Amino acid sequence: NAGVTQTPKFRVLKTGQSMTLLCAQDMNHEYMYWYRQDPGMGLRLIHYSVGEGTTAKGEVPDGYNVSRLKKQNFLLGLESAAPSQTSVYFCASSPGSLSLTTDTQYFGPGTRLTVL
Amino acid sequence: KNEVEQSPQNLTAQEGEFITINCSYSVGISALHWLQQHPGGGIVSLFMLSSGKKKHGRLIATINIQGKHSSLHITASHPRDSAVYICAVSRGGSQGNLIFGKGTKLSVKP
């Protein structure tokens, strides 16, 4: 099993360009998440999904869109990239809600995005 | 004020030392998570606990629900333990998202 994979690993964009980050998991998990990690700050939730066809906003959703057309994939889109979106993006998945004490979260390797 | 606070922010230890990282939180939670972020950036979940204590190898995690505090201990520390240790809490409900602390950067010198 590959676990959680992310594509691409690195990307440089110019302001105003668009791109899509792909997250894939092969563990049949219901829940998937997109986070961003910035220096001096904890991981912050951008969007999440509690199942195929569903998405919900997290703490910092502005400037991002997501889609979960297939259970195994969770896409994060930047329609018009801004320098403030320079960050490391992590995808994660979990079998169910993390409020359940039996579930843990599995992370992808991260995508380092620079917006010039 | 952050809902999840960790201390210290940075910690340097000599190989073999006993290490303690602390986490305090200000919200009601259903579970607390400890994660490790390797120097290369990968993040792995170490523990999830809602009461008492858990042990895995040289790592021990404890939680005091009433005091809203958790500790992560590393016994007989080793340079390979050098990483950022992150505390996160999950609140009840179906949302399933975590609130993260800023992390504690640990460096263990040989």
Side-chain angles (χ1 to χ4, degrees):
Chain A
N1 289 348
V4 181
T5 58
Q6 291 182 231
T7 309
K9 288 186 169 53
F10 304 93
R11 185 72 185 267
V12 178
L13 290 178
K14 294 181 179 178
T15 297
Q17 287 185 319
S18 63
M19 78 162 294
T20 300
L21 281 67
L22 171 63
C23 175
Q25 53 95 3
D26 60 2
M27 296 173 283
N28 200 35
H29 286 173
E30 290 293 334
Y31 283 58
M32 296 186 74
Y33 316 81
W34 276 107
Y35 296 98
R36 60 178 290 173
Q37 186 178 44
D38 301 296
M41 304 187 74
L43 288 156
R44 292 182 293 169
L45 182 66
I46 304 171
H47 286 280
Y48 65 99
S49 168
V50 302
E52 180 179 321
T54 74
T55 63
K57 294 180 180 180
E59 182 186 353
V60 288
D62 294 341
Y64 305 95
N65 57 75
V66 288
S67 64
R68 182 108 181 261
L69 298 179
K70 293 183 179 180
K71 186 176 184 179
Q72 64 267 34
N73 296 336
F74 195 28
L75 278 63
L76 178 71
L78 286 73
E79 290 187 345
S80 179
S84 61
Q85 294 177 303
T86 293
S87 188
V88 180
Y89 291 85
F90 287 95
C91 176
S93 70
S94 63
S97 167
L98 293 170
S99 61
L100 301 175
T101 57
T102 54
D103 283 340
T104 191
Q105 200 167 53
Y106 298 82
F107 286 82
T111 294
R112 187 172 294 275
L113 175 66
T114 301
V115 183
L116 302 175
Chain B
K1 188 180 188 300
N2 293 331
E3 292 170 302
V4 180
E5 297 274 4
Q6 288 185 236
S7 63
Q9 287 185 328
N10 294 282
L11 180 57
T12 300
Q14 287 299 127
E15 183 173 356
E17 285 186 358
F18 180 84
I19 290 163
T20 296
I21 299 170
N22 296 300
C23 175
S24 61
Y25 52 93
S26 57
V27 295
I29 69 168
S30 58
L32 184 140
H33 303 247
W34 281 102
L35 305 104
Q36 180 191 55
Q37 185 167 24
H38 301 291
I43 300 173
V44 295
S45 180
L46 297 174
F47 293 104
M48 179 176 58
L49 63 166
S50 58
S51 64
K53 179 168 79 172
K54 285 191 176 180
K55 185 175 188 288
H56 185 260
R58 295 180 294 105
L59 300 177
I60 303 166
T62 64
I63 188 168
N64 178 338
I65 292 290
Q66 285 187 328
K68 295 188 174 180
H69 179 268
S70 174
S71 293
L72 177 68
H73 306 285
I74 305 175
T75 62
S77 59
H78 190 276
R80 65 175 174 266
D81 297 325
S82 298
V84 175
Y85 292 85
I86 301 169
C87 172
V89 299
S90 55
R91 296 191 276 192
S94 62
Q95 289 182 337
N97 54 301
L98 299 180
I99 305 171
F100 293 84
K102 293 182 180 181
T104 294
K105 185 174 183 180
L106 171 66
S107 177
V108 182
K109 305 295 185 184

